[in-house]
Amino acid sequence: MMIMLRHTLDALRTAAAVCLAALLPLTAGAQEPRLVLDPPAAWIAEPVSSPMRVAQFTLPKAAGDAEDADLTIFYFGGAGGTVEANLERWTGQMLQPDGGRSADVATTSEFTAGDLAVTLLDVPGIYAAEVRPGSGMRYHKPDFRLKAAVVETPAGPYFFKLTGPEQTVETWDEPFVALLASVRFE
């Protein structure tokens, strides 16, 4: 399955267009550049639940885990902050069981997918992000893992955020990195 993520405001607002894009091949006459990716067939494409999201997937849970993992892809029209600011924000969404700093256990790596720079973050711990931005209510999910990435394109960055139980995220680690390595901007 191939997914094309348009970077126009209309595409951000139209979940159906994103879902249908998985079924449509690239056309030679396309006027808008697109981020193209190839998610694993086992990932379940979901309708986007917010206009800030361009795609979201459910990654089936590993044996023994209580819930599935979620992958959300965001695009903010070329905005969204620096790579470093996003890495810091995502790291702050995780707490450590021993009270230590998540920044001390977080790892980052960088690579290129074609000519696109990709920065990848990996943080284990207790998932404690806000349930909804500005709500003040926070998750408290022990033994979770957050993997996130920034893919820098000529039209601005795309943000990938994968969260879920430790074992489930570990199960999908290689396919997630392969997905990031496969992205193209066409």
Side-chain angles (χ1 to χ4, degrees):
M1 171 187 340
M2 178 174 39
I3 303 248
M4 297 174 287
L5 304 177
R6 302 170 203 254
H7 72 273
T8 65
L9 186 56
D10 288 339
L12 294 173
R13 291 187 178 151
T14 309
V18 174
C19 291
L20 287 175
L23 305 174
L24 301 175
L26 287 174
T27 58
Q31 296 178 4
E32 301 173 16
R34 299 176 177 155
L35 188 70
V36 180
L37 49 93
D38 302 308
W43 291 6
I44 303 161
E46 303 285 351
V48 294
S49 61
S50 161
M52 297 182 299
R53 298 174 179 203
V54 293
Q56 61 190 64
F57 298 90
T58 296
L59 285 59
K61 64 184 171 188
D65 277 345
E67 62 185 277
D68 298 324
D70 296 307
L71 172 62
T72 307
I73 304 170
F74 301 90
Y75 178 74
F76 302 106
T82 65
V83 171
E84 294 76 20
N86 281 282
L87 297 177
E88 186 176 309
R89 181 176 50 77
W90 286 323
T91 300
Q93 294 176 354
M94 299 296 287
L95 302 174
Q96 296 309 302
D98 65 1
R101 293 173 3 110
S102 289
D104 294 340
V105 298
T107 59
T108 59
S109 58
E110 298 176 352
F111 60 93
T112 57
D115 59 352
L116 304 175
V118 179
T119 304
L120 178 62
L121 171 71
D122 186 2
V123 190
I126 301 166
Y127 185 56
E130 284 187 305
V131 174
R132 280 186 301 278
S135 72
M137 295 173 34
R138 296 193 170 274
Y139 292 106
H140 184 84
K141 296 187 176 200
D143 301 319
F144 256 52
R145 192 166 187 172
L146 181 148
K147 292 188 76 91
V150 180
V151 176
E152 299 176 69
T153 77
Y158 283 78
F159 304 94
F160 292 67
K161 182 179 176 187
L162 168 60
T163 58
E166 176 85 30
Q167 186 58 44
T168 297
V169 172
E170 183 62 31
T171 297
W172 293 110
D173 181 59
E174 283 186 31
F176 179 60
V177 173
L179 171 84
L180 294 169
S182 78
V183 297
R184 305 170 301 286
F185 196 70
E186 301 176 350

